[in-house]
Amino acid sequence: MRKFINNLLKPSTAIVLMYHKIGSPKTDPWLLAVSEENFDQQMAWLCNNLRVVALGQLIGELKAGKIIQNSVAVTFDDGYEDNYILAKPILEKYGIPATFFITDRNLEDGKSFWWDDLEEIALHSGQLPASIHANGSEIDLGDEMTIAANHWDGNARFYAMEPINKRSELYYMLWQEFGPLKWREQDIRLAEVKAWANRNSYDVDKCMSKEQLKDLSSNELFTIGAHTHSHPALEAHSIETQFFEIKQNLDYLYKLTGSIPEFIAYPSGSYNENTLEVVDRLGLEAGLTTVPVPISKKTKPFEMGRFQVMDWGREDFSYKCTQWLGQ
């Protein structure tokens, strides 16, 4: 009886799920990839057990002060091609709405994201020079100058902030160095790292094409959101740079899809007071972070939390969602 009363008195909560990649990559240093099989199981469980709504509907309910318990919205960040090829058919199969937050620079020029380039160079180059200066420190690779093709067998998934060997330490140090840079500075530094590694040609995860994004945007199930022009760590930059990054992104997506994005996801969850001023000035309706907190009536529309979904099967995924919803 007491548990029943406590549940009646407990504030209603909803959750926003955050995805990036669908597939099974060679390595996954940020635990961002969900296999196609597990993603299918996750979506099947969602549509059978929770109230799945479009992000826009959830935001409307938040602003109206009406959060309905067990509501969930699905989002994707960055705009990887696998979102279109693998995730889209599964979402359509279960009738699940989703919002895709798109960074336009890589979509327009066909380039890969710098962190994927660094992953390929640092983690998968068979031979590298003995050392490199990165993020203010000298990194000596020691006996990991040379690695075999099976070097990552059994260790493909790890958390980059907790390196497990010299190659993963190299990746994380370079990632830290690149993060605060402007995109032109990143391009220059990436060219230097490629020259150091003698790696200029390789295959990494691609962004979806303009045609794929246009097709995605024409589907009533899906919404396109803003994710800046070049995916900078916004809080590391001036208010002028932040304004340019977000405005450029909004203009590009409007020109391509015919719709002005109403929501933004802050790249890597990086934002500050200047960011909040910019998104308000540009007329956006809501902003999403990477802070793992549920949505309640107290949630600020421009600081909505999200939960990163990992490569879990049905049982683990259902446990996590139930936990996040406070059940």
Side-chain angles (χ1 to χ4, degrees):
M1 184 65 176
R2 180 178 296 176
K3 183 178 180 181
F4 174 74
I5 294 174
N6 287 338
N7 285 336
L8 286 178
L9 296 175
K10 188 166 56 176
S12 296
T13 56
I15 55 175
V16 181
L17 303 182
M18 175 176 60
Y19 291 89
H20 289 79
K21 299 180 179 182
I22 303 300
S24 300
K26 294 183 293 185
T27 47
D28 187 9
W30 293 105
L31 306 176
L32 296 178
V34 176
S35 71
E36 184 178 2
E37 178 183 0
N38 281 342
F39 183 67
D40 189 292
Q41 291 182 16
Q42 291 173 5
M43 295 303 101
W45 185 86
L46 280 186
C47 71
N48 288 323
N49 293 275
L50 298 181
R51 176 180 179 256
V52 185
V53 297
L55 179 63
Q57 181 176 343
L58 180 61
I59 291 169
E61 291 171 353
L62 170 63
K63 291 186 174 184
K66 183 184 179 183
I67 296 297
I68 299 175
Q69 183 64 35
N70 293 344
S71 297
V72 57
V74 174
T75 68
F76 288 80
D77 282 10
D78 300 335
Y80 283 102
E81 186 179 45
D82 59 58
N83 295 183
Y84 181 86
I85 295 174
L86 301 179
K88 175 178 174 284
I90 294 172
L91 293 166
E92 291 172 329
K93 172 181 169 183
Y94 295 108
I96 291 179
T99 297
F100 296 84
F101 292 104
I102 304 297
T103 293
D104 66 87
R105 177 175 176 249
N106 297 69
L107 182 141
E108 178 63 28
D109 61 21
K111 288 184 177 180
S112 49
F113 288 111
W114 58 262
W115 55 85
D116 290 325
D117 288 298
L118 294 182
E119 180 182 346
E120 175 62 31
I121 292 168
L123 303 186
H124 299 290
S125 296
Q127 176 77 38
L128 287 175
S131 64
I132 186 174
H133 193 78
N135 198 37
S137 300
E138 192 75 18
I139 301 175
D140 186 351
L141 293 178
D143 60 5
E144 289 188 52
M145 285 175 57
T146 303
I147 60 172
N150 64 350
H151 185 75
W152 297 101
D153 288 359
N155 290 306
R157 296 181 183 274
F158 60 93
Y159 190 46
M161 294 179 72
E162 300 171 357
I164 57 177
N165 53 32
K166 283 291 185 179
R167 288 297 188 105
S168 58
E169 179 184 355
L170 169 62
Y171 169 76
Y172 183 53
M173 293 293 284
L174 287 169
W175 183 91
Q176 286 182 300
E177 178 184 339
F178 273 63
L181 302 178
K182 294 182 178 180
W183 66 264
R184 290 184 179 85
E185 297 168 331
Q186 290 171 342
D187 283 353
I188 293 170
R189 181 59 173 142
L190 181 59
E192 294 172 351
V193 173
K194 286 182 176 181
W196 168 80
N198 194 26
R199 293 291 305 275
N200 288 306
S201 178
Y202 45 78
D203 291 324
V204 295
D205 294 322
K206 297 191 301 182
C207 295
M208 65 180 78
S209 68
K210 291 186 288 186
E211 291 72 25
Q212 289 170 332
L213 180 57
K214 287 177 70 174
D215 184 52
L216 197 68
S217 70
S218 68
N219 190 314
E220 292 184 355
L221 269 181
F222 307 133
T223 304
I224 305 304
H227 204 44
T228 73
H229 171 60
S230 68
H231 203 283
L234 287 170
E235 62 184 328
H237 300 286
S238 68
I239 191 170
E240 292 80 14
T241 296
Q242 293 192 43
F243 183 89
F244 167 81
E245 279 283 342
I246 298 171
K247 180 68 162 55
Q248 178 87 354
N249 187 227
L250 293 173
D251 289 347
Y252 180 91
L253 294 175
Y254 171 64
K255 182 178 179 181
L256 184 66
T257 69
S259 298
I260 301 175
E262 297 180 320
F263 323 124
I264 183 171
Y266 310 120
S268 302
S270 173
Y271 73 101
N272 56 18
E273 290 301 319
N274 285 340
T275 317
L276 299 179
E277 179 181 332
V278 168
V279 295
D280 181 61
R281 196 193 320 170
L282 288 171
L284 287 157
E285 294 293 324
L288 287 92
T289 73
T290 57
V291 180
V293 294
I295 308 301
S296 70
K297 290 180 181 180
K298 295 182 179 180
T299 299
K300 297 177 181 178
F302 285 103
E303 297 180 272
M304 297 176 66
R306 290 186 294 171
F307 292 92
Q308 178 179 321
V309 181
M310 298 186 189
D311 192 31
W312 298 312
R314 181 187 181 95
E315 185 175 340
D316 289 337
F317 178 71
S318 64
Y319 172 79
K320 284 291 186 179
C321 288
T322 301
Q323 184 183 52
W324 294 336
L325 284 163
Q327 295 181 359

